[in-house]
Short mmCIF file of all heavy atoms in Angstrom, two decimals:
data_model
loop_
_atom_site.label_atom_id
_atom_site.label_comp_id
_atom_site.label_asym_id
_atom_site.label_seq_id
_atom_site.Cartn_x
_atom_site.Cartn_y
_atom_site.Cartn_z
N MET Y 1 -0.78 -42.36 -4.51
CA MET Y 1 -1.10 -41.43 -5.57
C MET Y 1 -0.57 -40.03 -5.27
O MET Y 1 0.00 -39.39 -6.12
CB MET Y 1 -2.61 -41.43 -5.79
CG MET Y 1 -3.05 -40.52 -6.88
SD MET Y 1 -2.53 -41.12 -8.46
CE MET Y 1 -3.70 -40.38 -9.50
N ARG Y 5 2.41 -37.63 -7.22
CA ARG Y 5 2.21 -36.24 -7.66
C ARG Y 5 3.21 -35.31 -7.02
O ARG Y 5 3.74 -34.41 -7.67
CB ARG Y 5 0.79 -35.78 -7.34
CG ARG Y 5 -0.24 -36.34 -8.25
CD ARG Y 5 -1.56 -35.69 -8.01
NE ARG Y 5 -2.53 -36.20 -8.95
CZ ARG Y 5 -3.73 -35.70 -9.08
NH1 ARG Y 5 -4.10 -34.69 -8.33
NH2 ARG Y 5 -4.56 -36.21 -9.94
N HIS Y 9 6.02 -33.14 -8.92
CA HIS Y 9 6.12 -31.69 -8.73
C HIS Y 9 7.54 -31.31 -8.32
O HIS Y 9 8.10 -30.34 -8.83
CB HIS Y 9 5.13 -31.21 -7.68
CG HIS Y 9 5.50 -29.88 -7.10
ND1 HIS Y 9 5.45 -28.70 -7.81
CD2 HIS Y 9 5.98 -29.54 -5.87
CE1 HIS Y 9 5.87 -27.70 -7.04
NE2 HIS Y 9 6.19 -28.19 -5.88
N LEU Y 15 14.00 -28.96 -11.63
CA LEU Y 15 14.49 -28.77 -12.99
C LEU Y 15 14.36 -27.31 -13.43
O LEU Y 15 15.30 -26.72 -13.97
CB LEU Y 15 13.73 -29.68 -13.96
CG LEU Y 15 14.13 -29.59 -15.42
CD1 LEU Y 15 15.55 -30.12 -15.61
CD2 LEU Y 15 13.16 -30.36 -16.28
N PHE Y 19 17.63 -24.91 -14.06
CA PHE Y 19 17.84 -24.34 -15.39
C PHE Y 19 17.79 -22.82 -15.37
O PHE Y 19 18.64 -22.16 -15.98
CB PHE Y 19 16.80 -24.91 -16.37
CG PHE Y 19 17.05 -24.54 -17.79
CD1 PHE Y 19 18.17 -24.98 -18.45
CD2 PHE Y 19 16.16 -23.73 -18.47
CE1 PHE Y 19 18.42 -24.62 -19.77
CE2 PHE Y 19 16.39 -23.38 -19.79
CZ PHE Y 19 17.52 -23.83 -20.44
N SER Y 20 16.84 -22.26 -14.64
CA SER Y 20 16.74 -20.80 -14.61
C SER Y 20 17.91 -20.18 -13.85
O SER Y 20 18.44 -19.14 -14.25
CB SER Y 20 15.41 -20.36 -14.01
OG SER Y 20 15.30 -20.80 -12.68
N SER Y 25 22.83 -17.11 -13.68
CA SER Y 25 24.22 -16.98 -13.24
C SER Y 25 25.16 -16.91 -14.44
O SER Y 25 26.15 -16.18 -14.40
CB SER Y 25 24.60 -18.13 -12.32
OG SER Y 25 24.50 -19.37 -12.99
N GLY Y 39 16.22 -16.58 -17.92
CA GLY Y 39 16.11 -17.34 -16.66
C GLY Y 39 15.16 -16.68 -15.68
O GLY Y 39 14.37 -17.34 -15.00
N LEU Y 42 11.62 -17.24 -16.88
CA LEU Y 42 11.26 -18.65 -16.67
C LEU Y 42 10.87 -18.92 -15.24
O LEU Y 42 9.81 -19.50 -14.97
CB LEU Y 42 12.43 -19.54 -17.09
CG LEU Y 42 12.24 -21.04 -16.87
CD1 LEU Y 42 11.17 -21.59 -17.80
CD2 LEU Y 42 13.54 -21.77 -17.07
N ASN Y 44 10.03 -16.80 -12.81
CA ASN Y 44 8.88 -16.03 -12.35
C ASN Y 44 7.59 -16.48 -13.02
O ASN Y 44 6.53 -16.47 -12.39
CB ASN Y 44 9.12 -14.53 -12.57
CG ASN Y 44 10.00 -13.97 -11.50
OD1 ASN Y 44 9.59 -13.82 -10.36
ND2 ASN Y 44 11.25 -13.68 -11.84
N GLY Y 45 7.67 -16.89 -14.28
CA GLY Y 45 6.49 -17.46 -14.94
C GLY Y 45 6.07 -18.77 -14.27
O GLY Y 45 4.88 -19.03 -14.08
N ALA Y 52 -1.14 -20.03 -9.34
CA ALA Y 52 -2.47 -20.12 -9.96
C ALA Y 52 -2.99 -21.55 -9.92
O ALA Y 52 -4.18 -21.79 -9.64
CB ALA Y 52 -2.41 -19.62 -11.39
N TRP Y 53 -2.10 -22.52 -10.17
CA TRP Y 53 -2.53 -23.93 -10.15
C TRP Y 53 -2.92 -24.35 -8.74
O TRP Y 53 -3.90 -25.07 -8.55
CB TRP Y 53 -1.40 -24.82 -10.67
CG TRP Y 53 -1.80 -26.25 -10.76
CD1 TRP Y 53 -2.58 -26.83 -11.72
CD2 TRP Y 53 -1.49 -27.29 -9.83
NE1 TRP Y 53 -2.74 -28.16 -11.44
CE2 TRP Y 53 -2.08 -28.47 -10.29
CE3 TRP Y 53 -0.74 -27.32 -8.66
CZ2 TRP Y 53 -1.95 -29.67 -9.63
CZ3 TRP Y 53 -0.61 -28.51 -7.99
CH2 TRP Y 53 -1.22 -29.67 -8.47
N LYS Y 55 -4.07 -22.43 -6.38
CA LYS Y 55 -5.37 -21.79 -6.07
C LYS Y 55 -6.50 -22.57 -6.71
O LYS Y 55 -7.55 -22.80 -6.08
CB LYS Y 55 -5.36 -20.34 -6.57
CG LYS Y 55 -6.68 -19.62 -6.37
CD LYS Y 55 -7.02 -19.44 -4.91
CE LYS Y 55 -8.29 -18.63 -4.74
NZ LYS Y 55 -8.53 -18.25 -3.36
N GLY Y 78 11.95 -16.48 -7.94
CA GLY Y 78 10.58 -16.31 -8.39
C GLY Y 78 9.72 -15.45 -7.48
O GLY Y 78 8.51 -15.62 -7.42
N LYS Y 92 -2.98 -17.33 -0.84
CA LYS Y 92 -2.04 -17.25 0.29
C LYS Y 92 -1.90 -15.84 0.84
O LYS Y 92 -0.89 -15.48 1.41
CB LYS Y 92 -0.66 -17.77 -0.12
CG LYS Y 92 -0.62 -19.19 -0.63
CD LYS Y 92 -0.89 -20.16 0.48
CE LYS Y 92 -0.74 -21.58 -0.03
NZ LYS Y 92 -1.17 -22.56 0.94
N HIS Y 95 -1.81 -15.77 4.88
CA HIS Y 95 -0.74 -16.47 5.57
C HIS Y 95 0.38 -15.49 5.89
O HIS Y 95 0.95 -14.87 4.99
CB HIS Y 95 -0.20 -17.62 4.71
CG HIS Y 95 -1.19 -18.71 4.51
ND1 HIS Y 95 -1.26 -19.80 5.33
CD2 HIS Y 95 -2.16 -18.87 3.58
CE1 HIS Y 95 -2.23 -20.60 4.92
NE2 HIS Y 95 -2.80 -20.04 3.85
N PHE Y 98 3.73 -15.89 4.03
CA PHE Y 98 3.76 -15.38 2.65
C PHE Y 98 3.74 -13.86 2.63
O PHE Y 98 4.40 -13.24 1.80
CB PHE Y 98 2.58 -15.94 1.85
CG PHE Y 98 2.82 -17.34 1.36
CD1 PHE Y 98 2.54 -18.42 2.17
CD2 PHE Y 98 3.33 -17.57 0.10
CE1 PHE Y 98 2.77 -19.71 1.75
CE2 PHE Y 98 3.56 -18.86 -0.35
CZ PHE Y 98 3.29 -19.93 0.47
N VAL Y 100 5.02 -11.87 4.72
CA VAL Y 100 6.31 -11.33 5.16
C VAL Y 100 7.43 -11.74 4.22
O VAL Y 100 8.23 -10.92 3.77
CB VAL Y 100 6.62 -11.78 6.61
CG1 VAL Y 100 8.02 -11.41 7.01
CG2 VAL Y 100 5.61 -11.18 7.56
N VAL Y 102 7.54 -13.23 1.04
CA VAL Y 102 7.53 -12.94 -0.40
C VAL Y 102 7.99 -11.51 -0.70
O VAL Y 102 8.84 -11.31 -1.57
CB VAL Y 102 6.16 -13.27 -1.04
CG1 VAL Y 102 6.08 -12.78 -2.46
CG2 VAL Y 102 5.92 -14.79 -0.99
N PHE Y 108 15.10 -8.44 -1.80
CA PHE Y 108 16.46 -8.98 -1.90
C PHE Y 108 16.84 -9.20 -3.36
O PHE Y 108 17.97 -8.88 -3.76
CB PHE Y 108 16.55 -10.29 -1.10
CG PHE Y 108 17.92 -10.90 -1.13
CD1 PHE Y 108 18.97 -10.30 -0.48
CD2 PHE Y 108 18.14 -12.08 -1.83
CE1 PHE Y 108 20.24 -10.86 -0.51
CE2 PHE Y 108 19.40 -12.64 -1.86
CZ PHE Y 108 20.45 -12.03 -1.21
N LEU Y 113 19.78 -7.45 -8.27
CA LEU Y 113 19.71 -6.97 -9.65
C LEU Y 113 20.32 -5.59 -9.79
O LEU Y 113 21.13 -5.34 -10.69
CB LEU Y 113 18.25 -6.98 -10.13
CG LEU Y 113 18.03 -6.49 -11.55
CD1 LEU Y 113 18.70 -7.43 -12.56
CD2 LEU Y 113 16.55 -6.37 -11.84
N GLU Y 119 27.31 -2.55 -10.98
CA GLU Y 119 28.67 -3.04 -11.21
C GLU Y 119 29.00 -3.04 -12.71
O GLU Y 119 30.11 -2.68 -13.11
CB GLU Y 119 28.82 -4.46 -10.66
CG GLU Y 119 30.19 -5.04 -10.90
CD GLU Y 119 30.27 -6.47 -10.43
OE1 GLU Y 119 29.66 -6.79 -9.39
OE2 GLU Y 119 30.95 -7.26 -11.10
#
Side-chain angles (χ1 to χ4, degrees):
M1 180 69 155
R5 284 188 177 189
H9 160 69
L15 180 67
F19 188 64
S20 63
S25 62
L42 177 68
N44 281 289
W53 183 78
K55 176 65 176 189
K92 302 290 185 189
H95 293 267
F98 280 85
V100 171
V102 171
F108 181 69
L113 179 64
E119 178 184 323

